[in-house]
Amino acid sequence: MSDQHELPPGWTAEWDEQSQRYFFVETSTGQTQWDPPSITEQGVPAPGPAPAGGHAKRRQYAAGQTQAYYGDSGVVHPPAPGDMAGNTVGGGSFFTPAGGEQPPAQPSGFYNPAAIGQGPGVFSAGGFVVPSQPSAYQQQQQPQVGALTDQFSQMGLQQPGYSQKQFALHTINLVGAFLDPRELVAPPPEIRLPPGASVSQEVTANADYTYQRCTMNAIPTTNSLLGKAKLPFGLILTPHRSLKEGDAPVQVVTDQVIARCRRCRTYINPYVTFIDGGARWKCCMCNVSNEVPQMFDWDQATNTPGDRWKRAELNHGVVEYVAPTEYMVRPPQPPVYVFLLDVSQHGVASGMLATATRTILESLDRLPNADNRTKVAIIGFDTALHFFCVPPGSAESTLLVVSDLDDVFLPKPTDLLTNLTEARAGLEALLGRLSDMFADSHSVGSALGPALQAGFKLISSIGGKLIVCTATLPTLGTGALKPREDPKMFGTSKESSLLQAADSFYKTFAIECSRSQVSVDMFLFSAQYQDVATLSCLPHYTAGNTFFYPAFNAARSEDAIKFAHEFGEILSSPIGLEAVIRVRASRGLRLSSYHGNFFVRSTDLLSLPAVPIDQSYAIEVQIEENITSPFVVFQTAVLHTSSDGERRIRVVTSAYPTTSNISELYASADQAAIVTLLANKAVERSISSKLEDARDALVNKMVDILTTYKNTMTSSGGGASAALSIADNMKFLPLLTLGLLKHVGIRQSTQIPSDLRAYAQALLTTLPSQLLIPYLHPTFYSLHNMPPECGTIGEQGVVMPPPLPLTSERLERHGLYLIEDGQTMFLWVGRDAVPQLVMDVFDLPAYEQLRTGKATLPLLDNVFSQRVNAVINKTREMRRGPYWPHLYIVKEDGEAAMRLWALSLLVQDRGAENLPSYPQFLTSLKEKVKWINERDSQLF
């Protein structure tokens, strides 16, 4: 189209390849026509002042800027990138319209692979057509419009995240495909929103995927399309994510100006629309218009007019508000820690008590105590309850023993919970000698239930944390448990009963704790059966943590270091207290079920007495009605009390484009989020039904996805084909599913103790995706021949070796390998390792003298030892979370059990008890897909 045919604002021209002519689109309504619109007919209103009605302190923009923002209708919406001469970046997917005089309608999808290469433009990353050559308008922006207009004219395709690379569905054949493990740490598919979706040009307008991610980064417009694609639809939340070096801090809004929708209570965010000259804003969830708060455009720090467009909530998908008093039902609670310590013979002999008290003592300075309000209490338990009274200002403490376990009472109700700052000297003295006080204990009973009741009575009026360290099965008083593990049940349909709570007391007590804002953390140490499945109910319903240390013995320094590190990290980490979480979604979407550690107080309100750092939650989503908007929004709000005593609201907002094209669903699928949701559902099903049902559901879901993909996305369709096809961005999904099927928490086995399985399931339902992926797909490094730069310091810290595929085919007899899953590390030494390697790494003269098992690798005065130690230390530090994985030395011809344990992490190999290899698993999936297609062809 000639540049002389200028179009009025709001109109674009698109090329019809079939009729070889342009048609014209009015972007605000989607109306199309063949005749060029007339500038004089449409008219361009003269710039004028913003509509009245704003507060006196609201920022009043110049007339030209107001017109640039508000346009003809007064809607503050950034114009679509394009030019005034008919070159355009369309708002929907580009297509070739049919011939005839009727101009085509715009489909809602944002990508159509059939249109690639057609017309006079090229495809951008978002699937939008852009001119092959920049127009005069793009090359020469008018300076008089102002900087604000420049920002909006550059939105969409010009901003980062809307790069002009093609967004195409790439299909691969899984059979024989090489899977590079490095791709597992890559970000999910890009979220490609339509131009003008956000009022901000910042890439931070959408929450980072480590806070909130969706299983699909393009949302189907209908439930039938979702059902056809067979992809699970859900959100994975980690709202209280830790900050690593280089992570941007969460933006804090301190002026207490909080704009919320009057109907659905959504918080204002980058995806709202300003109308009426900026005096009102339209909610992106329910489309209701709301007044902009009077002080929204006022900088309270300088007491001058502020720039609305620089406010954090309009530029960042993750913000935190300092909440005003109307968000409080009581003054913010102080951090409260009640330590329930097992002082029985088992707790003392294992060294657990000494290690726990020493770690608490060393962590007193790290406990959140910014305002000197933190309170602490210590209660010991064995066959009785031991209360320690520490008066403020005194270095002495008093021991009070209560032997009545049937009617628990507090001997000194007002003096047991003491202020950390005021009683610091007495607490330090008590913790320094507490383990010696029970050194000669011969008590073998455990009154854990009564101890929990006592701790709850102590803090139920204010809330806080009960931190339990126990080394034996509860045997006395309320909540007493009996050994119920029967190895004959392993691998049978009855095994799931061992993963259910044995006593209703723990769930009932946990719900009571949740109502009183009391959270429970469990640290379990028993060398024998401890019923982790029952005891983990307490953290599950009170938003706590479960840690399990089987056969703990502090005489082994590795055991003491692991517990001390993880215990210390939990004590010192900032937490949110007395929290509630509510997730809101755009019209047409419904949050149907929730997975994670919390109590569902109402249909959509999650109660969390504490919000642990780096804990994940999964939410399933349903489509209730057809979606007509070009994008949808999910918003998570976490109302909590910070460790510093401030009531705050953390708001996490993510927007996703909608599509009616099934290919875009597959091209935008987030395989890490999908497997995280599947892991949560598998654990729930294994407990409520049977482990076998959970495994079958995983396989069936994988077969459904592969069958649908083959029938809809490949040329062979339902016919016979040697290929097992899937989208390139989903190519790890079958392997991750196999890793889940082989995982201790899910796999078929007659040899997995129920405590190990229950703890593994607790991790599967709480680990965020960044930790869950290596837990299912471990990392495998070759150390003996790693490149020379590996293990040295580079620009991004320690340079790690390239990971290998998880197969023993990569093991060489003379090699040294590291296999790790975030919870455990194995250092594999080949039987033919040269003496020099053994000397350089282990400081031993020969392979034969190397001992297997838990170990601490020595740091020797040679380069290779330093590089290996650097890789191991980096492995422990590079991921979020409090975990400190043990290191085990494994010899190729060493102890069989240790060797099989290490090899079980190589999930692409065939495992023990007839677990399939990855090629065998693919063959099985392929046969199931073929059988379904043959069955369907016979039916029709």
Side-chain angles (χ1 to χ4, degrees):
M1 184 176 179
S2 173
D3 288 353
Q4 66 183 357
H5 293 96
E6 294 187 352
L7 297 174
W11 284 85
T12 61
E14 296 189 6
W15 182 255
D16 180 3
E17 181 70 15
Q18 183 171 347
S19 55
Q20 292 294 301
R21 59 184 291 193
Y22 282 92
F23 63 93
F24 303 89
V25 183
E26 187 177 16
T27 57
S28 61
T29 64
Q31 175 185 350
T32 61
Q33 63 186 51
W34 292 114
D35 298 326
S38 170
I39 294 180
T40 57
E41 291 175 356
Q42 297 293 327
V44 179
H55 190 269
K57 290 185 177 181
R58 183 172 297 144
R59 176 77 175 270
Q60 299 297 319
Y61 296 101
Q65 294 175 342
T66 300
Q67 175 62 26
Y69 273 107
Y70 306 150
D72 301 347
S73 63
V75 176
V76 183
H77 195 72
D83 62 70
M84 306 290 280
N87 295 319
T88 179
V89 183
S93 63
F94 189 65
F95 59 94
T96 302
E101 293 300 315
Q102 293 298 324
Q106 295 280 58
S108 61
F110 62 92
Y111 167 71
N112 187 339
I116 295 179
Q118 298 183 11
V122 296
F123 275 79
S124 74
F128 302 99
V129 181
V130 296
S132 300
Q133 297 296 330
S135 67
Y137 183 77
Q138 291 171 317
Q139 293 171 343
Q140 300 179 5
Q141 289 285 348
Q142 300 299 319
Q144 64 268 27
V145 177
L148 296 175
T149 307
D150 292 341
Q151 290 180 3
F152 279 138
S153 67
Q154 294 171 7
M155 283 191 61
L157 303 179
Q158 302 299 323
Q159 72 184 85
Y162 298 117
S163 57
Q164 297 185 5
K165 62 183 179 181
Q166 292 186 359
F167 180 30
L169 179 67
H170 299 288
T171 298
I172 68 164
N173 181 8
L174 287 168
V175 179
F178 173 72
L179 302 181
D180 187 347
R182 288 174 291 189
E183 296 183 35
L184 272 175
V185 299
E190 190 176 7
I191 299 174
R192 299 177 175 122
L193 293 167
S198 171
V199 299
S200 171
Q201 189 179 354
E202 300 294 332
V203 295
T204 55
N206 235 0
D208 188 86
Y209 67 92
T210 55
Y211 287 100
Q212 181 168 280
R213 67 198 303 172
C214 185
T215 55
M216 295 172 289
N217 284 348
I219 307 303
T221 54
T222 64
N223 189 53
S224 61
L225 179 61
L226 175 63
K228 181 180 178 181
K230 302 297 184 181
L231 293 174
F233 187 13
L235 283 179
I236 308 300
L237 313 177
T238 314
H240 197 29
R241 191 206 71 180
S242 61
L243 295 178
K244 289 285 191 179
E245 184 178 353
D247 290 339
V250 175
Q251 297 292 308
V252 180
V253 180
T254 59
D255 59 9
Q256 296 191 350
V257 177
I258 303 177
R260 300 184 66 181
C261 176
R262 56 190 172 90
R263 174 191 286 175
C264 67
R265 307 303 293 158
T266 294
Y267 293 82
I268 199 169
N269 58 76
Y271 303 99
V272 304
T273 305
F274 287 98
I275 57 176
D276 294 346
R280 302 179 68 83
W281 60 277
K282 183 186 292 185
C283 177
C284 57
M285 300 283 191
C286 66
N287 292 325
V288 166
S289 64
N290 306 272
E291 290 189 2
V292 175
Q294 293 181 347
M295 301 297 289
F296 197 72
D297 297 324
W298 189 258
D299 188 339
Q300 298 183 26
T302 61
N303 203 30
T304 59
D307 188 346
R308 168 184 300 184
W309 313 106
K310 292 183 179 180
R311 288 190 66 95
E313 59 265 53
L314 296 182
N315 290 279
H316 295 271
V318 184
V319 295
E320 197 159 274
Y321 295 94
V322 176
T325 54
E326 55 261 34
Y327 287 84
M328 307 177 193
V329 295
R330 63 178 184 177
Q333 74 173 65
V336 177
Y337 298 86
V338 177
F339 297 98
L340 305 180
L341 305 179
D342 187 345
V343 296
S344 68
Q345 183 182 23
H346 297 287
V348 175
S350 66
M352 179 276 291
L353 181 62
T355 307
T357 53
R358 184 176 65 251
T359 304
I360 297 171
L361 177 61
E362 294 173 352
S363 300
L364 290 179
D365 285 330
R366 302 168 62 199
L367 285 175
N369 190 27
D371 53 2
N372 294 323
R373 295 195 307 150
T374 299
K375 297 180 180 294
V376 176
I378 300 175
I379 301 175
F381 63 92
D382 47 18
T383 56
L385 303 183
H386 307 265
F387 297 88
F388 296 92
C389 181
V390 185
S394 172
E396 300 297 325
S397 59
T398 304
L399 172 61
L400 305 170
V401 180
V402 174
S403 299
D404 186 355
L405 303 180
D406 296 326
D407 186 14
V408 176
F409 65 93
L410 302 178
K412 298 182 71 173
T414 60
D415 298 332
L416 298 175
L417 191 63
T418 185
N419 181 278
L420 173 59
T421 302
E422 297 173 357
R424 178 65 179 267
L427 286 170
E428 290 180 348
L430 172 61
L431 291 168
R433 59 187 176 87
L434 195 149
S435 62
D436 294 334
M437 295 171 61
F438 297 92
D440 297 327
S441 172
H442 297 290
S443 174
V444 294
S446 172
L448 174 60
L452 288 166
Q453 292 175 322
F456 175 74
K457 285 187 175 184
L458 188 61
I459 64 173
S460 60
S461 61
I462 55 176
K465 290 179 72 71
L466 299 179
I467 300 179
V468 182
C469 297
T470 177
T472 186
L473 186 73
T475 56
L476 300 172
T478 304
L481 300 173
K482 297 180 180 180
R484 57 172 176 150
E485 187 175 58
D486 183 359
K488 295 179 181 178
M489 299 172 65
F490 295 167
T492 69
S493 59
K494 298 180 179 180
E495 185 177 7
S496 60
S497 64
L498 300 177
L499 304 176
Q500 301 166 357
D503 192 325
S504 61
F505 161 76
Y506 289 95
K507 181 177 180 179
T508 304
F509 177 76
I511 295 173
E512 188 177 359
C513 285
S514 180
R515 292 195 181 104
S516 300
Q517 305 298 341
V518 175
S519 176
V520 184
D521 287 340
M522 298 293 294
F523 292 82
L524 309 175
F525 299 87
S526 180
Q528 299 176 340
Y529 178 69
Q530 197 167 7
D531 205 343
V532 173
T534 299
L535 298 181
S536 62
C537 279
L538 295 167
H540 179 71
Y541 292 105
T542 64
N545 295 282
T546 301
F547 292 86
F548 183 42
Y549 306 90
F552 178 85
N553 185 356
R556 291 192 298 263
S557 61
E558 293 79 17
D559 284 5
I561 291 172
K562 176 180 174 64
F563 168 50
H565 175 86
E566 296 177 350
F567 193 35
E569 287 294 307
I570 291 296
L571 295 180
S572 62
S573 65
I575 57 173
L577 302 170
E578 49 182 347
V580 290
I581 295 180
R582 176 170 273 134
V583 183
R584 296 177 174 89
S586 293
R587 180 181 297 175
L589 300 176
R590 184 175 71 88
L591 310 174
S592 58
S593 59
Y594 301 84
H595 307 272
N597 284 7
F598 47 73
F599 177 66
V600 182
R601 184 183 297 179
S602 61
T603 54
D604 63 343
L605 188 67
L606 311 181
S607 174
L608 296 89
V611 186
I613 202 164
D614 290 320
Q615 193 167 106
S616 182
Y617 316 97
I619 302 177
E620 295 181 66
V621 184
Q622 292 181 350
I623 300 177
E624 285 193 317
E625 58 186 69
N626 293 350
I627 301 171
T628 57
S629 57
F631 65 93
V632 297
V633 178
F634 292 98
Q635 187 178 85
T636 300
V638 185
L639 175 62
H640 66 283
T641 299
S642 71
S643 300
D644 297 334
E646 272 189 326
R647 198 67 174 153
R648 291 196 172 190
I649 311 161
R650 176 165 293 193
V651 179
V652 183
T653 306
S654 301
Y656 301 91
T658 58
T659 180
S660 58
N661 192 330
I662 192 173
S663 67
E664 290 162 7
L665 299 184
Y666 290 121
S668 68
D670 181 350
Q671 57 191 354
I674 290 174
V675 79
T676 304
L677 179 60
L678 292 179
N680 279 269
K681 294 182 66 175
V683 169
E684 180 178 300
R685 186 150 189 176
S686 69
I687 296 174
S688 62
S689 182
K690 295 184 294 185
L691 279 162
E692 183 180 0
D693 292 343
R695 290 188 290 265
D696 289 344
L698 287 171
V699 174
N700 291 338
K701 173 55 69 173
M702 198 66 252
V703 171
D704 287 345
I705 293 174
L706 292 170
T707 303
T708 303
Y709 192 91
K710 173 182 170 64
N711 294 342
T712 58
M713 295 291 106
T714 65
S715 58
S716 62
S721 172
L724 187 63
S725 301
I726 201 169
D728 183 72
N729 54 291
M730 298 171 63
K731 62 187 175 185
F732 277 94
L733 187 57
L735 180 55
L736 291 172
T737 303
L738 178 61
L740 183 54
L741 290 168
K742 289 186 171 185
H743 193 269
V744 171
I746 301 295
R747 78 169 177 242
Q748 169 67 33
S749 176
T750 60
Q751 301 176 0
I752 299 177
S754 57
D755 277 351
L756 291 179
R757 197 184 284 277
Y759 178 58
Q761 291 192 347
L763 291 176
L764 288 174
T765 55
T766 55
L767 291 179
S769 298
Q770 295 79 14
L771 295 176
L772 182 64
I773 295 305
Y775 195 39
L776 301 178
H777 184 283
T779 311
F780 181 24
Y781 300 117
S782 175
L783 301 182
H784 64 284
N785 58 358
M786 58 182 170
E789 67 274 10
C790 297
T792 63
I793 305 297
E795 294 182 0
Q796 305 297 325
V798 175
V799 179
M800 298 297 287
L804 302 175
L806 295 175
T807 171
S808 58
E809 294 177 357
R810 297 302 183 105
L811 293 174
E812 298 177 342
R813 290 191 171 186
H814 61 275
L816 180 70
Y817 300 88
L818 181 67
I819 314 171
E820 63 88 20
D821 65 356
Q823 300 294 320
T824 309
M825 297 191 294
F826 296 99
L827 196 60
W828 178 282
V829 187
R831 66 175 68 183
D832 294 337
V834 297
Q836 189 62 48
L837 183 147
V838 177
M839 176 61 72
D840 287 349
V841 177
F842 304 102
D843 199 22
L844 294 172
Y847 170 84
E848 291 73 21
Q849 298 186 23
L850 185 60
R851 297 182 60 183
T852 61
K854 293 178 187 175
T856 300
L857 205 62
L859 181 59
L860 305 176
D861 189 19
N862 67 77
V863 173
F864 188 65
S865 172
Q866 295 166 5
R867 292 170 62 203
V868 170
N869 273 276
V871 169
I872 291 173
N873 293 335
K874 177 69 172 180
T875 300
R876 283 182 166 138
E877 298 169 0
M878 65 183 179
R879 300 193 182 102
R880 308 179 196 278
Y883 303 102
W884 181 268
H886 272 312
L887 176 67
Y888 291 86
I889 306 298
V890 183
K891 297 170 67 174
E892 182 181 353
D893 57 358
E895 182 183 352
M898 185 70 65
R899 189 173 69 252
L900 290 175
W901 185 14
L903 291 175
S904 70
L905 270 61
L906 302 180
V907 297
Q908 291 183 235
D909 285 342
R910 183 172 181 175
E913 301 185 86
N914 293 321
L915 295 174
S917 67
Y918 181 57
Q920 290 173 328
F921 183 60
L922 291 182
T923 300
S924 173
L925 293 175
K926 183 179 175 182
E927 291 174 350
K928 288 182 170 65
V929 170
K930 179 181 178 182
W931 181 84
I932 290 175
N933 284 329
E934 290 177 348
R935 180 200 63 187
D936 292 345
S937 64
Q938 292 174 0
L939 292 175
F940 296 99

